[in-house]
Amino acid sequence: MRWLGIDPGMNGAAALFEPGNMISLIDLPTLGDGSKREIDCGALMKWILLGKPDQAVIENVTAMPSI
């Protein structure tokens, strides 16, 4: 079974793997600079479709309270 794992966010990453085998690992593609920076959804979609994952998981991101 081929898995896709995603760590979302501007500095996130995505991995495509099978048990015991890392197939591909990328920084999430982005467009723009500074406050105009955003995820390049088209490039990410192409990468996912080429990898043909069977299942996908995404990190459940929550706010980190300041201490």
Side-chain angles (χ1 to χ4, degrees):
M1 179 171 286
R2 192 172 275 208
W3 286 86
L4 168 66
I6 299 178
D7 172 15
M10 289 300 127
N11 297 314
L16 185 64
F17 57 96
E18 296 171 336
N21 182 29
M22 176 66 68
I23 298 167
S24 182
L25 176 65
I26 63 165
D27 291 329
L28 291 185
T30 60
L31 297 169
D33 291 317
S35 65
K36 302 284 186 185
R37 190 170 168 220
E38 60 185 45
I39 300 295
D40 184 344
C41 295
L44 180 58
M45 181 180 71
K46 287 178 186 177
W47 180 81
I48 291 170
L49 291 173
L50 285 173
K52 299 180 181 177
D54 299 302
Q55 295 286 324
V57 293
I58 187 166
E59 178 187 8
N60 182 15
V61 179
T62 60
M64 295 181 64
S66 60
I67 296 175

